[in-house]
Amino acid sequence: KFVTRVVSELKNQVDYWITINEPVASIIGVGYIAGLSPPGFFLDGNRAKIVLHNLIEAHVRAYNKITALDDIDADGDGFPSRVGFAHLMMAVSPAKPTKILGVTIKDNAKAAKNFDYFINDYFVNAVTNGEEDLNYLNTLQIHNKDSKDFIIHDDWKDKVDFIGLDYYRRVYIYYSPIVAFSSARFVGGALVNDLSIQDKKNHSRPNQILNDLGWEIYPEGLYHLIMRVKNQWNNKPVFITENGVADKSDKYRAPFIVAH
């Protein structure tokens, strides 16, 4: 009902519609995994799985409604209105290996690979290829098309005309037994949110240039993610919908913008 009302009112003025902002990293990651924003659940994988499915369905239904109501070329460029979503994507690297007495116990590569797949790829795979990888959510087997729990929804296919890319930083992911033995193990691992803090396990990378939040400034990551969209999802158009730096003294802002 909300989509119908808004689109009916504004379709003569709008060419690009964004249905949802940051469905995986922010809505699920921060609200159901990290417990930092509403509804405030911590590592609640069971709820997160339901919400993830519902968010995909919500986007698909909104896409269908918008395209049914708005086929207007409002700016006269020869194309009708287009529908996408804004996706917070991160450049992902493994944290430093976990060592005891010089012996590597965990190299963190698998944790980083799983985190990358869930945060960056899962939702886009759903609304471009119709994939719902329930097998991954349950077993951590990435993209096993032979599993009965790897489901293709024909009505989810090609339900995005562009990707809105929100990009700020590179993150370093490490294996966390707390995550691994929770119902939210599909998130892959944990990250040190503030890299200016030297944590006891030395997961952080403090030698990088950091903003005021302790986030690593990493312009190359934006390029790599744009190229991923191009190569992995049929050259979908990309808009940079968010990018910026927390910098109260403005010492990094100008080079940050130029570099990105």
Side-chain angles (χ1 to χ4, degrees):
K1 290 180 180 178
F2 175 77
V3 171
T4 299
R5 175 62 187 273
V6 170
V7 175
S8 297
E9 286 286 333
L10 299 177
K11 63 183 181 180
N12 292 326
Q13 303 174 58
V14 175
D15 276 297
Y16 300 94
W17 300 93
I18 288 177
T19 59
I20 302 173
N21 187 56
E22 301 182 355
V24 182
S26 292
I27 296 177
I28 291 174
V30 185
Y32 290 83
I33 306 298
L36 297 176
S37 67
F41 294 110
F42 179 69
L43 291 179
D44 194 336
N46 295 325
R47 279 193 175 93
K49 290 177 188 178
I50 296 170
V51 173
L52 179 58
H53 176 91
N54 288 347
L55 286 168
I56 297 167
E57 278 284 339
H59 168 81
V60 168
R61 291 173 64 181
Y63 180 97
N64 291 340
K65 180 60 69 173
I66 295 168
T67 54
L69 291 172
D70 184 12
D71 59 357
I72 295 171
D73 176 15
D75 64 2
D77 67 354
F79 294 96
S81 293
R82 281 146 283 188
V83 183
F85 73 102
H87 190 30
L88 177 59
M89 301 182 77
M90 304 178 192
V92 177
S93 293
K96 292 180 180 179
T98 304
K99 295 185 178 182
I100 297 178
L101 299 177
V103 178
T104 298
I105 305 302
K106 286 289 181 183
D107 69 2
N108 299 314
K110 188 170 189 291
K113 182 178 181 180
N114 289 347
F115 183 92
D116 191 18
Y117 178 68
F118 179 70
I119 293 293
N120 288 330
D121 290 6
Y122 194 100
F123 199 97
V124 187
N125 287 341
V127 299
T128 55
N129 304 323
E131 299 171 0
E132 185 170 28
D133 198 351
L134 299 178
N135 180 64
Y136 170 76
L137 299 182
N138 295 325
T139 70
L140 302 187
Q141 295 177 347
I142 293 178
H143 220 253
N144 179 7
K145 293 185 178 182
D146 294 329
S147 169
K148 63 180 178 58
D149 290 325
F150 185 90
I151 301 168
I152 300 294
H153 298 267
D154 289 335
D155 58 333
W156 287 7
K157 290 181 179 179
D158 298 318
K159 297 299 182 182
V160 65
D161 301 325
F162 64 88
I163 305 295
L165 176 53
D166 298 352
Y167 175 77
Y168 294 98
R169 57 171 168 161
R170 173 160 60 177
V171 295
Y172 297 94
I173 307 301
Y174 64 93
Y175 170 84
S176 165
I178 296 173
V179 172
F181 292 100
S182 75
S183 61
R185 63 192 184 121
F186 51 79
V187 76
L191 61 88
V192 180
N193 192 50
D194 184 349
L195 291 172
S196 67
I197 299 173
Q198 284 277 5
D199 64 301
K200 293 180 181 178
K201 295 182 180 178
N202 200 27
H203 296 309
S204 57
R205 305 266 177 149
N207 296 323
Q208 311 301 323
I209 298 175
L210 308 178
N211 70 13
D212 291 349
L213 297 172
W215 294 5
E216 181 188 354
I217 297 174
Y218 184 64
E220 297 95 324
L222 178 61
Y223 169 79
H224 294 311
L225 289 169
I226 291 171
M227 294 304 293
R228 180 188 295 195
V229 174
K230 173 183 174 63
N231 295 324
Q232 194 162 307
W233 294 299
N234 301 321
N235 202 19
K236 286 289 181 188
V238 175
F239 290 95
I240 309 305
T241 39
E242 289 187 28
N243 178 243
V245 60
D247 180 17
K248 65 185 177 183
S249 61
D250 268 346
K251 61 183 176 180
Y252 295 132
R253 190 177 310 279
F256 178 97
I257 292 170
V258 170
H260 283 76

